[in-house]
Amino acid sequence: MRIIVTGGAGFIGSALVRYLVLERNYEVLNIDLLTYAGNLSSLDALSDKKNYQFLQASICDRAAMESAVNEFKPDRIMHLAAESHVDRSITGAADFIQTNIVGTFTLLEAARGYWEGQEGAARENFRFLHVSTDEVYGSLGADDLFKETTAYDPSSPYSASKASSDHLAISWHRTYGLPVIISNCSNNYGPYHYPEKLIPLTILNALFEKSLPIYGKGDNVRDWLYVDDHVNALDMIVERGRPGEAYNVGGRNERANIDVVRQICQELDKLRPQSFRYETLIEFVTDRPGHDARYAIDATKLETELGWRARETFDSGILKTVQWYLDNKWWWEPLLQKYSGHRLGLIPEKPETE
Protein backbone atom coordinates (compact mmCIF):
# COMPACT_ATOMS: atom_id res chain seq x y z
CA MET A 1 0.00 0.00 0.00
CA ARG A 2 1.37 3.40 -1.03
CA ILE A 3 -0.01 6.47 0.76
CA ILE A 4 0.61 10.20 0.47
CA VAL A 5 0.00 12.10 3.70
CA THR A 6 -0.10 15.89 3.51
CA GLY A 7 0.72 17.80 6.66
CA GLY A 8 2.55 14.78 8.05
CA ALA A 9 4.95 16.85 10.17
CA GLY A 10 2.10 18.38 12.16
CA PHE A 11 0.45 17.05 15.29
CA ILE A 12 -2.18 14.67 13.89
CA GLY A 13 -0.27 14.15 10.66
CA SER A 14 2.91 12.95 12.37
CA ALA A 15 0.90 10.54 14.53
CA LEU A 16 -0.72 9.18 11.38
CA VAL A 17 2.60 8.83 9.54
CA ARG A 18 4.21 7.03 12.48
CA TYR A 19 1.26 4.63 12.60
CA LEU A 20 1.21 3.92 8.86
CA VAL A 21 4.97 3.37 8.64
CA LEU A 22 5.63 1.54 11.90
CA GLU A 23 2.37 -0.33 12.55
CA ARG A 24 0.98 -0.92 9.07
CA ASN A 25 4.31 -1.08 7.22
CA TYR A 26 2.90 0.98 4.34
CA GLU A 27 5.05 3.01 1.97
CA VAL A 28 4.43 6.64 2.90
CA LEU A 29 5.33 9.94 1.25
CA ASN A 30 4.93 12.79 3.73
CA ILE A 31 4.38 16.19 2.10
CA ASP A 32 4.73 19.15 4.44
CA LEU A 33 5.79 22.78 3.94
CA LEU A 34 7.21 22.92 7.49
CA THR A 35 5.53 26.12 8.58
CA TYR A 36 5.74 27.06 12.27
CA ALA A 37 3.83 24.00 13.53
CA GLY A 38 5.57 21.46 11.30
CA ASN A 39 8.26 19.59 13.20
CA LEU A 40 10.41 16.85 11.72
CA SER A 41 11.65 15.85 15.17
CA SER A 42 8.19 14.33 15.67
CA LEU A 43 9.25 11.79 13.04
CA ASP A 44 12.70 10.92 14.39
CA ALA A 45 11.61 7.32 14.86
CA LEU A 46 11.31 6.97 11.06
CA SER A 47 14.77 8.25 10.12
CA ASP A 48 16.07 4.80 9.12
CA LYS A 49 12.85 3.42 7.60
CA LYS A 50 13.04 2.57 3.92
CA ASN A 51 9.26 2.76 3.52
CA TYR A 52 9.19 6.46 4.46
CA GLN A 53 9.92 9.51 2.30
CA PHE A 54 9.62 13.22 3.00
CA LEU A 55 8.98 16.07 0.57
CA GLN A 56 9.03 19.70 1.68
CA ALA A 57 6.52 21.45 -0.54
CA SER A 58 3.38 23.57 -0.45
CA ILE A 59 0.06 22.00 -1.33
CA CYS A 60 -0.66 25.26 -3.17
CA ASP A 61 2.16 24.49 -5.63
CA ARG A 62 0.32 22.82 -8.52
CA ALA A 63 3.45 21.62 -10.33
CA ALA A 64 4.96 20.16 -7.16
CA MET A 65 1.75 18.35 -6.23
CA GLU A 66 1.24 16.90 -9.70
CA SER A 67 4.85 15.76 -9.82
CA ALA A 68 4.70 14.17 -6.37
CA VAL A 69 1.44 12.33 -7.05
CA ASN A 70 2.41 11.11 -10.50
CA GLU A 71 5.85 9.93 -9.43
CA PHE A 72 4.87 8.27 -6.14
CA LYS A 73 1.73 6.66 -7.61
CA PRO A 74 -0.29 6.44 -4.38
CA ASP A 75 -3.14 4.08 -3.66
CA ARG A 76 -4.48 6.67 -1.21
CA ILE A 77 -4.04 10.34 -0.43
CA MET A 78 -4.77 11.37 3.16
CA HIS A 79 -5.03 15.15 3.22
CA LEU A 80 -4.33 16.74 6.61
CA ALA A 81 -2.26 19.80 5.63
CA ALA A 82 -3.99 22.91 6.98
CA GLU A 83 -3.65 26.04 9.01
CA SER A 84 -5.52 24.96 12.12
CA HIS A 85 -5.38 27.39 15.04
CA VAL A 86 -8.53 29.47 15.50
CA ASP A 87 -6.73 32.27 17.34
CA ARG A 88 -4.22 32.72 14.53
CA SER A 89 -7.04 32.83 11.97
CA ILE A 90 -8.58 35.80 13.75
CA THR A 91 -5.56 38.02 13.16
CA GLY A 92 -4.17 36.35 10.02
CA ALA A 93 -7.00 34.91 7.96
CA ALA A 94 -5.19 35.14 4.60
CA ASP A 95 -2.95 32.11 5.29
CA PHE A 96 -6.02 30.05 6.17
CA ILE A 97 -7.80 30.96 2.95
CA GLN A 98 -4.72 30.19 0.87
CA THR A 99 -3.73 26.88 2.48
CA ASN A 100 -7.09 25.42 3.45
CA ILE A 101 -9.08 26.43 0.39
CA VAL A 102 -6.66 27.03 -2.48
CA GLY A 103 -4.34 24.26 -1.28
CA THR A 104 -7.17 21.74 -1.09
CA PHE A 105 -8.34 22.71 -4.58
CA THR A 106 -4.80 22.29 -5.92
CA LEU A 107 -4.41 18.87 -4.33
CA LEU A 108 -7.83 17.71 -5.52
CA GLU A 109 -6.91 18.65 -9.08
CA ALA A 110 -3.56 16.85 -8.85
CA ALA A 111 -5.33 13.76 -7.49
CA ARG A 112 -8.02 13.91 -10.17
CA GLY A 113 -5.49 14.11 -12.98
CA TYR A 114 -3.62 11.10 -11.60
CA TRP A 115 -6.77 9.06 -10.88
CA GLU A 116 -8.25 9.65 -14.32
CA GLY A 117 -5.08 8.22 -15.83
CA GLN A 118 -5.40 4.95 -13.91
CA GLU A 119 -7.11 1.76 -15.08
CA GLY A 120 -8.61 -1.32 -13.50
CA ALA A 121 -7.96 -2.01 -9.82
CA ALA A 122 -5.67 1.01 -9.44
CA ARG A 123 -8.52 3.32 -10.45
CA GLU A 124 -11.22 1.37 -8.61
CA ASN A 125 -9.37 1.21 -5.28
CA PHE A 126 -7.93 4.73 -5.15
CA ARG A 127 -9.19 6.92 -2.28
CA PHE A 128 -8.79 10.58 -1.32
CA LEU A 129 -9.48 11.24 2.39
CA HIS A 130 -10.08 14.87 3.30
CA VAL A 131 -9.54 15.32 7.04
CA SER A 132 -11.60 18.13 8.56
CA THR A 133 -13.01 19.37 11.85
CA ASP A 134 -16.25 19.52 13.83
CA GLU A 135 -15.86 23.29 13.96
CA VAL A 136 -17.50 23.55 10.52
CA TYR A 137 -20.83 22.86 12.25
CA GLY A 138 -20.67 25.92 14.50
CA SER A 139 -21.92 25.98 18.07
CA LEU A 140 -24.22 23.46 19.78
CA GLY A 141 -26.88 23.92 22.42
CA ALA A 142 -26.76 22.04 25.69
CA ASP A 143 -28.17 18.72 24.45
CA ASP A 144 -27.49 18.37 20.72
CA LEU A 145 -24.79 16.34 18.96
CA PHE A 146 -23.09 16.98 15.63
CA LYS A 147 -24.21 14.43 13.04
CA GLU A 148 -22.96 14.07 9.49
CA THR A 149 -26.23 15.70 8.40
CA THR A 150 -25.84 18.76 10.66
CA ALA A 151 -25.90 21.98 8.64
CA TYR A 152 -22.62 23.87 8.40
CA ASP A 153 -22.48 27.10 10.39
CA PRO A 154 -18.81 28.11 10.87
CA SER A 155 -17.96 30.93 13.27
CA SER A 156 -14.26 31.71 12.70
CA PRO A 157 -12.06 32.30 9.66
CA TYR A 158 -10.47 28.92 10.42
CA SER A 159 -13.73 26.97 10.50
CA ALA A 160 -15.06 28.85 7.48
CA SER A 161 -11.97 27.90 5.48
CA LYS A 162 -12.34 24.26 6.50
CA ALA A 163 -16.05 24.31 5.62
CA SER A 164 -15.11 25.65 2.21
CA SER A 165 -12.56 22.90 1.69
CA ASP A 166 -15.12 20.26 2.72
CA HIS A 167 -17.53 21.56 0.10
CA LEU A 168 -14.79 21.52 -2.53
CA ALA A 169 -13.82 17.96 -1.67
CA ILE A 170 -17.34 16.54 -1.87
CA SER A 171 -18.05 18.46 -5.08
CA TRP A 172 -15.02 16.82 -6.73
CA HIS A 173 -16.70 13.50 -5.99
CA ARG A 174 -20.11 14.53 -7.26
CA THR A 175 -18.87 16.34 -10.36
CA TYR A 176 -15.84 14.32 -11.43
CA GLY A 177 -16.39 11.01 -9.62
CA LEU A 178 -13.15 11.30 -7.65
CA PRO A 179 -13.50 8.80 -4.76
CA VAL A 180 -13.40 11.33 -1.92
CA ILE A 181 -14.27 10.63 1.71
CA ILE A 182 -14.50 13.31 4.42
CA SER A 183 -13.85 12.97 8.13
CA ASN A 184 -14.79 15.58 10.74
CA CYS A 185 -13.11 15.16 14.11
CA SER A 186 -13.46 16.68 17.55
CA ASN A 187 -10.60 18.29 19.50
CA ASN A 188 -7.47 16.15 19.46
CA TYR A 189 -4.87 15.94 22.21
CA GLY A 190 -1.83 13.84 22.99
CA PRO A 191 1.96 13.76 22.47
CA TYR A 192 3.78 16.03 19.99
CA HIS A 193 1.09 18.75 20.17
CA TYR A 194 2.33 22.26 19.33
CA PRO A 195 2.23 24.31 22.56
CA GLU A 196 -0.17 27.03 21.41
CA LYS A 197 -3.20 24.74 21.93
CA LEU A 198 -5.03 24.53 25.27
CA ILE A 199 -3.71 21.25 26.70
CA PRO A 200 0.01 21.52 25.87
CA LEU A 201 -0.04 25.25 26.67
CA THR A 202 -1.52 24.52 30.09
CA ILE A 203 1.03 21.80 30.82
CA LEU A 204 4.05 23.87 29.82
CA ASN A 205 2.86 27.11 31.41
CA ALA A 206 2.29 25.20 34.64
CA LEU A 207 5.77 23.69 34.55
CA PHE A 208 7.23 27.19 34.23
CA GLU A 209 4.86 28.51 36.91
CA LYS A 210 3.22 30.92 34.45
CA SER A 211 -0.45 31.88 34.50
CA LEU A 212 -2.91 29.42 32.98
CA PRO A 213 -5.23 31.56 30.84
CA ILE A 214 -8.88 30.49 30.53
CA TYR A 215 -11.10 32.27 28.02
CA GLY A 216 -14.25 33.82 29.50
CA LYS A 217 -15.61 31.71 32.34
CA GLY A 218 -14.09 28.49 31.04
CA ASP A 219 -17.51 26.97 30.39
CA ASN A 220 -16.96 26.31 26.66
CA VAL A 221 -17.34 22.55 26.13
CA ARG A 222 -15.33 20.36 23.76
CA ASP A 223 -15.37 16.65 22.94
CA TRP A 224 -11.79 15.42 23.43
CA LEU A 225 -10.26 12.73 21.21
CA TYR A 226 -6.89 11.13 21.91
CA VAL A 227 -4.77 11.48 18.78
CA ASP A 228 -3.93 7.77 18.44
CA ASP A 229 -7.65 6.94 18.51
CA HIS A 230 -8.18 9.46 15.73
CA VAL A 231 -5.37 7.97 13.65
CA ASN A 232 -6.91 4.52 13.99
CA ALA A 233 -10.23 5.93 12.81
CA LEU A 234 -8.64 7.60 9.77
CA ASP A 235 -7.04 4.32 8.73
CA MET A 236 -10.42 2.58 8.96
CA ILE A 237 -12.24 5.35 7.10
CA VAL A 238 -9.86 5.48 4.15
CA GLU A 239 -9.80 1.67 3.92
CA ARG A 240 -13.48 0.85 4.34
CA GLY A 241 -15.41 4.11 4.19
CA ARG A 242 -17.79 4.80 1.32
CA PRO A 243 -16.74 7.42 -1.28
CA GLY A 244 -18.96 10.47 -1.20
CA GLU A 245 -19.68 10.02 2.52
CA ALA A 246 -18.59 11.91 5.63
CA TYR A 247 -17.72 10.29 8.96
CA ASN A 248 -17.66 12.10 12.29
CA VAL A 249 -14.90 11.08 14.70
CA GLY A 250 -15.36 11.88 18.38
CA GLY A 251 -14.14 10.56 21.69
CA ARG A 252 -17.43 10.91 23.61
CA ASN A 253 -15.40 12.79 26.21
CA GLU A 254 -17.07 16.16 26.74
CA ARG A 255 -15.32 18.52 29.12
CA ALA A 256 -15.61 22.23 29.88
CA ASN A 257 -12.31 24.04 29.33
CA ILE A 258 -12.01 24.92 33.01
CA ASP A 259 -12.39 21.24 33.94
CA VAL A 260 -9.70 20.25 31.44
CA VAL A 261 -7.27 22.73 32.96
CA ARG A 262 -8.12 21.69 36.51
CA GLN A 263 -7.58 18.03 35.69
CA ILE A 264 -4.17 18.78 34.18
CA CYS A 265 -3.30 20.68 37.35
CA GLN A 266 -4.37 17.74 39.48
CA GLU A 267 -2.22 15.34 37.46
CA LEU A 268 0.76 17.66 37.80
CA ASP A 269 0.17 17.94 41.54
CA LYS A 270 0.72 14.18 41.71
CA LEU A 271 3.47 13.81 39.09
CA ARG A 272 5.47 17.00 39.67
CA PRO A 273 4.44 18.32 43.12
CA GLN A 274 5.39 21.84 44.19
CA SER A 275 4.91 23.87 47.34
CA PHE A 276 1.76 25.32 45.74
CA ARG A 277 -1.20 23.77 43.90
CA TYR A 278 -1.10 24.35 40.15
CA GLU A 279 -4.74 25.46 40.11
CA THR A 280 -3.65 28.70 41.80
CA LEU A 281 -2.06 29.68 38.45
CA ILE A 282 -5.46 29.77 36.66
CA GLU A 283 -6.35 33.21 35.28
CA PHE A 284 -9.60 34.09 33.51
CA VAL A 285 -9.02 36.33 30.46
CA THR A 286 -11.16 38.10 27.87
CA ASP A 287 -12.99 35.57 25.74
CA ARG A 288 -12.04 34.75 22.15
CA PRO A 289 -14.17 36.57 19.51
CA GLY A 290 -16.83 34.24 18.09
CA HIS A 291 -16.04 31.53 20.64
CA ASP A 292 -18.42 28.59 20.06
CA ALA A 293 -20.12 27.40 23.26
CA ARG A 294 -20.08 23.64 22.75
CA TYR A 295 -18.96 20.93 20.35
CA ALA A 296 -19.98 17.29 20.69
CA ILE A 297 -19.71 14.55 18.08
CA ASP A 298 -22.16 11.75 17.40
CA ALA A 299 -19.81 9.04 16.10
CA THR A 300 -22.57 6.43 15.69
CA LYS A 301 -22.10 6.14 11.93
CA LEU A 302 -18.39 5.41 12.29
CA GLU A 303 -18.95 3.05 15.20
CA THR A 304 -21.72 1.01 13.60
CA GLU A 305 -20.58 1.04 9.97
CA LEU A 306 -16.85 0.49 10.47
CA GLY A 307 -16.69 -0.86 14.04
CA TRP A 308 -14.43 1.89 15.40
CA ARG A 309 -14.26 2.68 19.11
CA ALA A 310 -12.14 5.17 21.01
CA ARG A 311 -9.79 3.27 23.31
CA GLU A 312 -8.82 6.11 25.60
CA THR A 313 -11.07 7.82 28.09
CA PHE A 314 -10.20 11.41 28.86
CA ASP A 315 -8.84 10.33 32.23
CA SER A 316 -6.45 7.79 30.73
CA GLY A 317 -5.51 9.97 27.77
CA ILE A 318 -4.76 13.11 29.74
CA LEU A 319 -2.55 11.17 32.15
CA LYS A 320 -0.56 9.76 29.22
CA THR A 321 -0.30 13.24 27.71
CA VAL A 322 0.92 14.99 30.84
CA GLN A 323 3.47 12.24 31.47
CA TRP A 324 4.73 12.49 27.89
CA TYR A 325 5.42 16.21 28.22
CA LEU A 326 7.23 15.61 31.48
CA ASP A 327 9.39 12.94 29.84
CA ASN A 328 10.11 14.69 26.51
CA LYS A 329 11.60 18.08 27.21
CA TRP A 330 13.94 17.49 24.25
CA TRP A 331 10.97 17.83 21.88
CA TRP A 332 9.13 20.86 23.26
CA GLU A 333 11.94 23.00 24.66
CA PRO A 334 13.20 24.20 21.21
CA LEU A 335 9.64 25.19 20.28
CA LEU A 336 9.47 27.67 23.15
CA GLN A 337 12.06 29.77 21.36
CA LYS A 338 9.42 30.40 18.68
CA TYR A 339 6.31 30.48 20.87
CA SER A 340 6.52 31.51 24.51
CA GLY A 341 2.89 30.95 25.44
CA HIS A 342 1.73 34.52 24.78
CA ARG A 343 -1.93 35.24 24.01
CA LEU A 344 -2.98 34.90 20.38
CA GLY A 345 -6.15 35.90 18.55
CA LEU A 346 -6.72 39.39 19.96
CA ILE A 347 -8.26 41.81 17.47
CA PRO A 348 -6.12 44.98 17.43
CA GLU A 349 -7.92 48.10 18.58
CA LYS A 350 -8.51 50.68 15.87
CA PRO A 351 -6.38 53.78 16.32
CA GLU A 352 -8.25 56.83 17.47
CA THR A 353 -9.10 59.35 14.78
CA GLU A 354 -8.90 63.07 15.26
Side-chain angles (χ1 to χ4, degrees):
M1 184 68 65
R2 299 174 64 83
I3 301 179
I4 287 178
V5 176
T6 69
F11 168 45
I12 301 172
S14 66
L16 176 63
V17 170
R18 290 191 301 271
Y19 174 78
L20 295 175
V21 172
L22 298 175
E23 302 296 326
R24 301 287 274 166
N25 201 33
Y26 291 156
E27 294 184 57
V28 174
L29 172 61
N30 172 14
I31 301 176
D32 198 297
L33 185 57
L34 296 181
T35 56
Y36 75 95
N39 190 348
L40 288 179
S41 66
S42 302
L43 298 162
D44 281 355
L46 310 183
S47 60
D48 62 344
K49 301 301 178 183
K50 295 182 179 179
N51 57 326
Y52 171 69
Q53 301 177 45
F54 173 71
L55 172 65
Q56 184 173 356
S58 169
I59 59 170
C60 298
D61 185 336
R62 178 73 172 265
M65 292 304 99
E66 289 181 346
S67 176
V69 172
N70 291 326
E71 290 178 14
F72 188 73
K73 302 186 185 307
D75 301 297
R76 301 168 181 168
I77 295 176
M78 302 178 77
H79 174 38
L80 289 82
E83 295 287 345
S84 66
H85 190 42
V86 174
D87 284 1
R88 288 182 183 268
S89 79
I90 292 171
T91 52
D95 288 343
F96 289 73
I97 304 305
Q98 187 68 21
T99 300
N100 298 355
I101 301 177
V102 177
T104 297
F105 158 74
T106 303
L107 193 63
L108 284 165
E109 280 292 86
R112 180 168 73 95
Y114 166 75
W115 172 73
E116 288 178 342
Q118 302 305 300
E119 297 179 350
R123 181 183 176 97
E124 180 68 23
N125 296 329
F126 179 81
R127 295 292 184 270
F128 185 108
L129 176 61
H130 175 66
V131 180
S132 190
T133 171
D134 60 356
E135 296 196 32
V136 298
Y137 298 124
S139 188
L140 276 173
D143 301 317
D144 298 329
L145 294 173
F146 292 138
K147 298 179 174 62
E148 288 80 3
T149 54
T150 299
Y152 279 25
D153 188 24
S155 301
S156 69
Y158 161 62
S159 57
S161 69
K162 290 299 291 185
S164 299
S165 65
D166 287 9
H167 291 317
L168 283 175
I170 201 63
S171 72
W172 255 243
H173 171 73
R174 294 175 180 174
T175 300
Y176 305 111
L178 185 69
V180 171
I181 307 170
I182 295 175
S183 66
N184 297 89
C185 69
S186 58
N187 284 41
N188 280 226
Y189 69 103
Y192 301 100
H193 202 175
Y194 192 78
E196 68 187 1
K197 299 297 179 73
L198 175 65
I199 287 177
L201 176 63
T202 298
I203 296 169
L204 297 182
N205 273 10
L207 292 179
F208 286 96
E209 300 180 20
K210 295 182 178 181
S211 66
L212 309 180
I214 302 289
Y215 291 165
K217 298 178 180 178
D219 52 5
N220 301 80
V221 174
R222 299 294 181 261
D223 174 16
W224 291 96
L225 174 66
Y226 193 68
V227 66
D228 290 345
D229 282 331
H230 185 200
V231 162
N232 182 257
L234 295 179
D235 186 40
M236 285 188 179
I237 291 168
V238 76
E239 185 169 321
R240 305 206 303 270
R242 291 177 288 143
E245 294 290 320
Y247 294 86
N248 283 349
V249 190
R252 299 192 185 275
N253 287 302
E254 288 187 58
R255 294 289 191 282
N257 287 345
I258 183 61
D259 294 330
V260 169
V261 173
R262 284 174 176 157
Q263 188 161 349
I264 292 170
C265 290
Q266 290 161 11
E267 297 295 349
L268 286 170
D269 285 335
K270 291 180 285 187
L271 297 170
R272 186 67 62 84
Q274 298 286 359
S275 59
F276 61 91
R277 295 188 65 197
Y278 287 96
E279 281 191 34
T280 61
L281 299 173
I282 291 174
E283 177 186 355
F284 294 94
V285 299
T286 304
D287 205 355
R288 166 197 289 162
H291 199 178
D292 290 330
R294 175 174 171 261
Y295 303 147
I297 285 281
D298 182 350
T300 299
K301 180 178 178 180
L302 176 61
E303 292 166 348
T304 56
E305 225 179 84
L306 304 185
W308 176 84
R309 291 291 187 280
R311 298 170 183 170
E312 300 290 345
T313 65
F314 187 75
D315 291 344
S316 65
I318 201 64
L319 176 58
K320 286 184 177 182
T321 302
V322 172
Q323 187 65 63
W324 187 89
Y325 279 89
L326 291 176
D327 294 341
N328 290 277
K329 184 178 180 180
W330 68 270
W331 182 85
W332 53 258
E333 190 171 48
L335 301 181
L336 300 186
Q337 298 175 13
K338 296 185 290 184
Y339 176 67
S340 62
H342 55 280
R343 174 79 188 268
L344 298 169
L346 293 173
I347 300 175
E349 294 183 4
K350 293 183 179 179
E352 294 184 4
T353 56
E354 296 183 359

